[in-house]
Amino acid sequence: MEAELTALAASGATAFVGLMATEAWNQVRGRVARFLARGEDGEDGEDSEAVDAELEESRAALLAARRSGDEDGAADVTAEWRIRLRRALRDNPEAARELRELLDELAPHQPAAPTVTVNNSTNGGTYYSPVIQGHDISGLTFNGGGAVSSRPEPGAG
């Protein structure tokens, strides 16, 4: 059960921090703050406001880290919220169900997986067949004319 809660805390922290860097953050911030504030001491409104302020501090730190290329700083923000969520889940078993529900609600706001662009170039040489480099290529058929290369074989002489 502990491993499941740890994984759930990691998913929650990743989702929350991922949303912090998007336009959707303003739409979901209040919901995230209310979830994190429940179970805290004091009045619900006061706790939600305090957590909201903490979330905004984390967002500022995350955005600053990303602007400066500080991947460790960005990872630290996620780690802080992962630890906090893990503690909340450990202290209140009912929170796991609530966190799963919240993550389901936030799923449409999640940023899409980043698109990676790779540029390759081939220089020099003569190529006697197709040269392909890619990822997840399937269903390709090459119909060659059966032409025989006139290039000399290595070692022929």
Side-chain angles (χ1 to χ4, degrees), residues 26-157:
N26 291 329
Q27 296 173 20
V28 301
R29 182 182 72 213
R31 180 71 174 99
V32 171
R34 283 189 300 280
F35 168 78
L36 292 168
R38 55 149 221 35
E40 301 277 336
D41 297 327
E43 295 298 316
D44 185 44
E46 293 173 3
D47 291 335
S48 184
E49 290 175 14
V51 172
D52 188 61
E54 289 178 61
L55 287 167
E56 283 308 299
E57 287 175 23
S58 290
R59 182 175 192 255
L62 174 70
L63 295 177
R66 287 192 175 172
R67 272 192 301 273
S68 67
D70 179 10
E71 292 301 317
D72 289 337
D76 288 347
V77 173
T78 304
E80 290 172 21
W81 286 105
R82 184 182 65 244
I83 291 166
R84 183 161 177 176
L85 283 171
R86 191 176 65 225
R87 286 181 186 146
L89 294 172
R90 184 187 62 220
D91 294 344
N92 181 358
E94 183 66 19
R97 182 186 57 77
E98 293 174 29
L99 180 56
R100 284 186 194 97
E101 289 173 3
L102 177 58
L103 292 175
D104 288 343
E105 287 176 34
L106 299 179
H109 299 286
Q110 291 288 345
T115 302
V116 177
T117 302
V118 176
N119 296 306
N120 295 306
S121 63
T122 305
N123 297 315
T126 303
Y127 303 94
Y128 296 96
S129 61
V131 177
I132 298 175
Q133 181 174 355
H135 186 272
D136 295 334
I137 297 174
S138 63
L140 294 179
T141 303
F142 293 97
N143 296 317
V148 178
S149 171
S150 61
R151 76 177 176 170
E153 292 296 320

